[in-house]
Amino acid sequence: MNDRAQSTLKRVTNESGLEVQPLYTAADVAASGGDAMIGQPGEYPFTRGIHREMYRKQPWTMRQYAGFGNPQDTNQRFKYLIANGQTGLNVAFDLPTQIGLDSDDPQAEGEIGRVGMSVDTLRDFEIAFDGIDLDKITVSMTINGAAAIAIAMYLAMAEKRGYDVKKLRGTAQNDILKEFIGRGTWIFPVKPSIKLVGDTIEYCAEHAPKYSPVSVCGYHIRESGATPAEEMAYAFCIARAYADEVIARGLHVDEFAGRLSYNFNIFGNLFEQVCKFRAGRSLWAKIMKEEYKAEKPGSMWLRMIAAGGGGGLTFEQPELNIVRGAYYALISALSGTQTMALCSYDEAYTIPTEYSARISLRTMQILIEEMGLTETVDPLGGSYYVETMTNQMRDKMEEIIAQTDAQGGIVKLVSEGAIQAKVSAQAYTMQRDIESGEFPKVGVNCYRNDREDEHPVEFHPYNEDDARVQIDSLNRVRAERDADRVAKALAAVRNDARIGANVMPAIVEAVKAYASVGEITKELVSVYGRYQEPICF
């Protein structure tokens, strides 16, 4: 292409701020840093994947986000998904549970079971996972502010059913810093919230070493307005903050880093998304090896769940979200994720139906069975474009991390509301660009239909009866449990929080006594207080 022709081309810049050239060659790879960080799959720096054979040996876990109503409702949906081939569970909790309220709390009215499963006591976990083999189906829980309680309930439920907790696998999101940035289901102030995360990591390292007590969630940071590069960089800053908390307690990085995991988002440009994961994998390995002196390869792995984010879906022409979802799943597979959790086409509107959830599940299965995505490792590796963009994305992430550190670190910036303000401003700019047509969105600002009601989406109804069933169940548990045992267990939670001890052992005992989420949270709030969001303009 001659210089004159090239000069007439429209300049293209991706969301992370990197200019995209019309053609890439080996010279571009060399100029971006060369191939020093590519390596081989299963070997440092893991750019091409954390396992040598990747999907050729074992396909990704399929783990859809599910949960609504009371535990009986959710148990039925879990069993439906498993019967249709899902290989992992990802539990959604309702808002009262996420912010530490019991179902009979006046503030919970109208929200019981609305956006996820309602949980009050250990009895609810026993019902939700009844008949599900926890050795075969691993469980991920999307909960943060009340994560310590949920982890305690899951471990207690499994132990009561006869599972060896030291061999039990599973994951809790438990990433409170991103809640302050991008989602809002916090309970306690920043410092005690980080302390609780450290408590869960320390406790699981000793008592449940195969369980992943934290899944650092760039996903929601991205949904809130961060660029793809910022999504990864801020997630790494957050993971470093948690690692620092635990190392300060005397644990060596290799005692816990192998159980840290990540939850990342996928929507937007296909190649930018693939490159952010390849770059992120090698950057995290570099951070663990060079900054934290990790020695075990598993401590350097970027273990992640990645699939379609709801932020990419549209209300308009919702059937197009099926197509978008297929591309999100393709990106996830090309990126080398360990777990795929594909959104359903109606998630821009409502809790997915069984029908829409099955379409997403079948989409992932088609990639495995028909499209050849499991046949070779890192199929885009070696592309001039992909390798150049991977190097550039890694540099961009390192730049963002360095800027964050220079401004006092992620904990300080989150406490001040600075990160929140930045991503919110970016979200506003993106929405303005979509509304103006500057950022094309098919069906929204281009290729619109005259009639937008041709394919209406079925809304998930709110069931007041489910809420009454849940409150009645809570009242029965309170009537049947040993009140003295509960009182002593809750006093121990309060005392351990007051003296700065690890509160997980006390929370586990309280959970086993059938103390409720709200009761345990109240004891912690009495010591830690509640978070007040800073107002930034």
Side-chain angles (χ1 to χ4, degrees):
M1 184 180 298
N2 61 48
D3 292 340
R4 181 177 179 182
Q6 188 169 356
S7 67
T8 63
L9 294 177
K10 179 182 177 181
R11 186 171 183 265
V12 175
T13 304
N14 65 23
E15 284 189 75
S16 296
L18 302 174
E19 186 172 356
V20 180
Q21 302 301 323
L23 177 68
Y24 286 83
T25 68
D28 294 292
V29 178
S32 68
D35 58 6
M37 293 290 281
I38 296 178
Q40 295 297 320
E43 298 177 8
Y44 182 86
F46 307 106
T47 303
R48 305 197 66 192
I50 65 173
H51 300 300
R52 186 164 62 89
E53 294 95 356
M54 286 301 292
Y55 309 137
R56 186 68 176 261
K57 183 176 182 180
Q58 180 177 321
W60 53 83
T61 299
M62 291 172 281
R63 192 192 305 278
Q64 288 174 280
Y65 190 47
F68 60 89
N70 57 46
Q72 293 93 330
D73 299 326
T74 297
N75 178 262
Q76 292 175 16
R77 177 61 65 88
F78 286 166
K79 289 178 178 176
Y80 171 84
L81 293 170
I82 292 169
N84 277 274
Q86 184 164 295
T87 53
L89 297 175
N90 190 359
V91 186
F93 295 91
D94 69 0
L95 287 176
T97 304
Q98 293 182 53
I99 60 174
L101 301 178
D102 286 337
S103 296
D104 62 350
D105 191 300
Q107 296 180 80
E109 184 176 358
E111 290 293 342
I112 302 167
R114 183 180 289 277
V115 299
M117 176 176 71
S118 180
V119 168
D120 292 306
T121 70
L122 177 59
R123 180 74 52 81
D124 296 317
F125 267 68
E126 293 167 352
I127 295 168
F129 297 102
D130 180 56
I132 294 172
D133 189 340
L134 303 181
D135 281 336
K136 294 181 179 179
I137 301 293
T138 57
V139 176
S140 176
M141 300 189 293
T142 300
I143 191 163
N144 299 280
I149 302 171
I151 292 171
M153 286 184 174
Y154 186 74
L155 297 179
M157 176 272 298
E159 183 179 70
K160 189 172 181 180
R161 288 180 54 186
Y163 291 95
D164 183 352
V165 173
K166 286 191 175 295
K167 297 179 180 179
L168 191 69
R169 297 182 182 273
T171 306
Q173 192 165 105
N174 195 19
D175 179 6
I176 198 61
L177 281 175
K178 66 87 186 172
E179 288 295 313
F180 296 121
I181 296 173
R183 195 161 171 268
T185 62
W186 55 71
I187 302 174
F188 316 105
V190 175
K191 287 188 177 180
S193 293
I194 295 174
K195 188 261 183 191
L196 281 174
V197 173
D199 285 356
T200 61
I201 295 173
E202 184 180 37
Y203 181 85
C204 289
E206 179 179 354
H207 299 280
K210 293 186 180 296
Y211 189 84
S212 297
V214 177
S215 178
V216 179
C217 189
Y219 182 106
H220 293 116
I221 300 174
R222 169 78 169 129
E223 294 265 311
S224 298
T227 69
E230 288 173 338
E231 173 192 2
M232 305 294 286
Y234 290 147
F236 292 161
C237 288
I238 288 170
R240 290 160 72 223
Y242 298 151
D244 292 344
E245 167 71 21
V246 179
I247 289 171
R249 301 179 183 209
L251 270 71
H252 188 274
V253 65
D254 285 327
E255 292 183 75
F256 66 88
R259 303 318 304 164
L260 292 177
S261 64
Y262 285 91
N263 184 350
F264 289 122
N265 209 322
I266 292 175
F267 65 89
N269 183 282
L270 185 152
F271 294 100
E272 184 179 10
Q273 299 300 307
V274 170
C275 292
K276 82 175 181 184
F277 291 124
R278 297 177 85 251
R281 219 167 10 244
S282 56
L283 179 54
W284 179 244
K286 179 182 177 183
I287 289 170
M288 283 288 100
K289 183 175 183 178
E290 297 184 5
E291 183 176 341
Y292 286 91
K293 310 304 179 185
E295 297 176 1
K296 295 180 180 179
S299 298
M300 306 173 203
W301 289 353
L302 185 74
R303 300 166 56 249
M304 67 183 190
I305 177 172
L313 304 184
T314 63
F315 292 97
E316 299 85 355
Q317 301 183 43
E319 65 275 12
L320 296 183
N321 292 332
I322 299 175
V323 181
R324 290 187 177 97
Y327 286 120
Y328 298 162
L330 174 64
I331 291 168
S332 187
L334 291 172
S335 298
T337 188
Q338 283 65 64
T339 300
M340 195 180 296
L342 185 59
C343 53
S344 297
Y345 79 89
D346 51 359
E347 280 193 52
Y349 290 81
T350 186
I351 291 173
T353 63
E354 289 186 350
Y355 172 72
S356 64
R358 189 173 69 244
I359 289 175
S360 294
L361 184 56
R362 294 288 181 260
T363 299
M364 294 185 281
Q365 291 164 338
I366 286 170
L367 292 184
I368 293 172
E369 304 297 342
E370 297 184 22
M371 297 293 120
L373 267 297
T374 62
E375 292 175 1
T376 193
V377 181
D378 189 29
L380 295 184
S383 158
Y384 297 139
Y385 178 26
V386 168
E387 299 301 354
T388 300
M389 185 64 65
T390 296
N391 286 339
Q392 292 174 336
M393 288 290 284
R394 188 187 305 109
D395 289 344
K396 190 71 172 179
M397 292 172 200
E398 289 190 286
E399 176 186 325
I400 295 166
I401 291 172
Q403 290 172 351
T404 303
D405 289 346
Q407 294 170 37
I410 193 73
V411 175
K412 175 178 180 290
L413 295 180
V414 168
S415 299
E416 295 171 349
I419 301 292
Q420 297 92 307
K422 181 178 182 180
V423 298
S424 294
Q426 291 174 180
Y428 172 79
T429 300
M430 174 58 75
Q431 183 61 33
R432 186 182 60 191
D433 289 346
I434 291 174
E435 291 176 2
S436 69
E438 179 70 20
F439 189 93
K441 195 74 175 177
V442 175
V444 178
N445 57 25
C446 56
Y447 307 107
R448 291 181 56 87
N449 283 344
D450 292 333
R451 292 184 57 193
E452 296 292 355
D453 60 348
E454 293 180 352
H455 300 283
V457 169
E458 177 184 347
F459 284 87
H460 182 88
Y462 182 66
N463 191 332
E464 292 286 355
D465 290 336
D466 279 345
R468 282 191 288 271
V469 167
Q470 184 64 20
I471 292 173
D472 288 345
S473 176
L474 172 59
N475 287 331
R476 282 196 303 274
V477 170
R478 285 176 175 158
E480 295 169 358
R481 68 191 184 180
D482 184 333
D484 288 340
R485 183 185 177 193
V486 172
K488 290 178 181 177
L490 291 174
V493 171
R494 181 174 63 254
N495 182 67
D496 284 357
R498 181 179 57 80
I499 66 175
N502 188 320
V503 297
M504 277 300 291
I507 290 176
V508 169
E509 289 306 310
V511 160
K512 290 180 178 179
Y514 289 87
S516 69
V517 170
E519 291 166 340
I520 296 170
T521 300
K522 183 178 179 180
E523 299 299 335
L524 295 173
V525 168
S526 71
V527 178
Y528 299 146
R530 287 191 179 274
Y531 177 68
Q532 298 296 320
E533 185 176 18
I535 306 300
C536 298
F537 296 97

